[in-house]
Amino acid sequence: MIMDLIYNSIPENKLKQRIHFNKFMLNVHRSIHEIKQIDKFKDQDPIQVLCDDLIDKIHFLFFDEFQVTDIADAMLMSRLFTGLIQRGMVVFFTSNRVPTDLYKNGLQRDLFLPFIDYIHKVCQIIHIDSSIDYRKIASKSENRVYFNSDYESEFLNELITNIMPKGAVLEPKIIEILGRKVYLEQTYKNLLVTSYSFICQEARGSVDYLEFCKLFDTIVMKDIPFIDMKNGDSLRRFITFVDALYDNNIRFICSGKASSPQYLFDLTERKNIGEHTSKLEDEYFSIDRTISRLIDMQSESYLNKTKNLFK
């Protein structure tokens, strides 16, 4: 809400951009790779070249869900954001973590600590402490989008049939993502029907999920299990997947073992973070946001933002 107010208060003729942090970092990695292929920049620091390019296009940069989860991003963003801020860019972040907890327990975190000090030096940090999650009290739509997979699978299948034109059938589709061919078993125009195992238990990441969001306005995910908090890869992918859908206003219909999205995770495991879970603190911290978003995605206000099917 506050991010919206600040962004909307800046005139449209100003150079401003609002973007999810994961998407921004994917663009950064891609741009640095492209800069390295250009002969005239072969003797220059590609990060500084990128900073020069970005400051010509953006003066006010807004990030949702600022987080650091791997060493490659940790080492890159320190130099990148220092360069952007020194060039005069105004940067706004939202995050579920205070700066001192960024990249907590990360590999070689000591190399990232100077950037945390820099954030404290140049940024105004505002802590918003509210016990109310307004997404959770949004009005719930009459059009159900979450089903219990043990007892309501037939209702989900009936819904899929009803939202498709009469006589239409789901068909396989092959798409290409960064040179990789990805086989999708069930699609119809801008509708994708998939499973938790395909999305979260195979080697996928943000780039895949963002591509799905470009191609499909409605995504159905079947058979979400009770998510094992110790399975870090699947947990991380599910959180990233939900973030991508939410930020792109994708209609999400799903079925799971739990009676409601808030019961998909065993939150008691977060209270005793041991050796096997210490590297998952960022994901554990993000679970509340994921639950909140899954609930909000059932609300009328969210569904009104999604695109109409097959238009």
Side-chain angles (χ1 to χ4, degrees):
M1 181 70 73
I2 292 179
M3 178 75 85
D4 293 336
L5 291 171
I6 298 173
Y7 182 84
N8 292 332
S9 70
I10 298 175
E12 291 298 328
N13 61 346
K14 300 296 183 180
L15 298 177
K16 63 178 183 177
Q17 182 180 27
R18 181 172 181 177
I19 189 171
H20 190 279
F21 186 71
N22 283 340
K23 185 174 183 180
F24 177 80
M25 290 307 297
L26 285 171
N27 291 340
V28 165
H29 286 291
R30 186 179 292 112
S31 296
I32 289 176
H33 174 74
E34 292 172 353
I35 290 170
K36 289 180 177 179
Q37 312 307 310
I38 301 175
D39 287 341
K40 69 176 182 178
F41 297 134
K42 65 180 181 179
D43 295 325
Q44 299 184 43
D45 181 349
I47 294 178
Q48 300 308 316
V49 174
L50 178 59
C51 287
D52 290 336
D53 180 62
L54 289 174
I55 197 63
D56 288 338
K57 301 174 181 176
I58 307 168
H59 291 168
F60 300 91
L61 184 59
F62 292 77
F63 286 118
D64 286 318
E65 312 300 348
F66 179 59
Q67 59 181 331
V68 191
T69 57
D70 64 68
I71 189 171
D73 281 351
M75 297 302 99
L76 172 60
M77 69 178 61
S78 177
R79 297 172 57 205
L80 176 67
F81 288 111
T82 299
L84 292 175
I85 293 171
Q86 287 177 345
R87 285 167 172 78
M89 183 178 290
V90 179
V91 184
F92 298 83
F93 304 95
T94 65
S95 178
N96 286 328
R97 312 212 73 169
V98 296
T100 51
D101 285 346
L102 289 171
Y103 197 46
K104 194 172 182 179
N105 298 315
L107 184 65
Q108 295 182 322
R109 185 174 185 260
D110 56 311
L111 299 178
F112 183 71
L113 294 179
F115 181 56
I116 293 178
D117 293 336
Y118 185 70
I119 290 176
H120 281 280
K121 179 180 178 181
V122 302
C123 296
Q124 181 179 358
I125 301 168
I126 302 173
H127 180 61
I128 302 174
D129 186 11
S130 174
S131 59
I132 301 174
D133 186 337
Y134 291 95
R135 288 182 296 214
K136 290 183 179 180
I137 61 176
S139 62
K140 193 170 182 178
S141 171
E142 293 181 357
N143 300 314
R144 292 186 60 195
V145 295
Y146 183 87
F147 299 84
N148 183 276
S149 56
D150 287 335
Y151 307 107
E152 299 178 315
S153 292
E154 68 273 16
F155 296 118
L156 175 58
N157 292 332
E158 182 179 341
L159 173 62
I160 295 171
T161 300
N162 289 339
I163 63 178
M164 293 170 59
K166 187 176 181 179
V169 294
L170 294 168
E171 297 180 341
K173 183 183 184 74
I174 298 176
I175 63 174
E176 188 169 303
I177 303 176
L178 296 180
R180 295 180 292 109
K181 293 189 182 300
V182 178
Y183 180 79
L184 305 174
E185 291 188 0
Q186 294 183 301
T187 71
Y188 176 76
K189 293 189 176 180
N190 52 352
L191 167 67
L192 168 64
V193 179
T194 185
S195 66
Y196 177 87
S197 61
F198 177 82
I199 295 293
C200 301
Q201 293 178 331
E202 297 183 15
R204 309 202 187 284
S206 297
V207 65
D208 301 277
Y209 306 147
L210 291 172
E211 188 65 25
F212 295 160
C213 291
K214 290 180 184 177
L215 297 174
F216 304 103
D217 299 330
T218 297
I219 296 179
V220 178
M221 175 186 278
K222 293 184 175 182
D223 302 323
I224 304 173
F226 289 111
I227 299 176
D228 184 353
M229 304 288 281
K230 297 177 184 178
N231 192 333
D233 290 337
S234 295
L235 173 61
R236 188 177 299 112
R237 291 184 189 116
F238 186 69
I239 291 171
T240 303
F241 178 67
V242 172
D243 282 345
L245 300 187
Y246 190 85
D247 291 327
N248 287 279
N249 296 326
I250 302 299
R251 185 185 300 266
F252 185 44
I253 303 170
C254 59
S255 66
K257 287 286 187 180
S259 59
S260 182
Q262 59 262 46
Y263 303 123
L264 286 170
F265 308 92
D266 180 6
L267 301 184
T268 59
E269 292 193 27
R270 290 193 303 186
K271 297 178 181 179
N272 300 303
I273 297 179
E275 182 179 351
H276 66 284
T277 57
S278 61
K279 294 181 180 180
L280 295 176
E281 272 198 69
D282 280 322
E283 285 71 24
Y284 276 30
F285 208 84
S286 300
I287 287 171
D288 289 334
R289 181 185 76 242
T290 302
I291 292 172
S292 174
R293 289 186 164 187
L294 286 170
I295 292 173
D296 187 45
M297 291 163 90
Q298 302 177 70
S299 69
E300 286 288 359
S301 59
Y302 179 85
L303 292 173
N304 286 337
K305 293 187 293 185
T306 62
K307 298 178 183 178
N308 292 325
L309 275 170
F310 317 129
K311 295 294 185 180

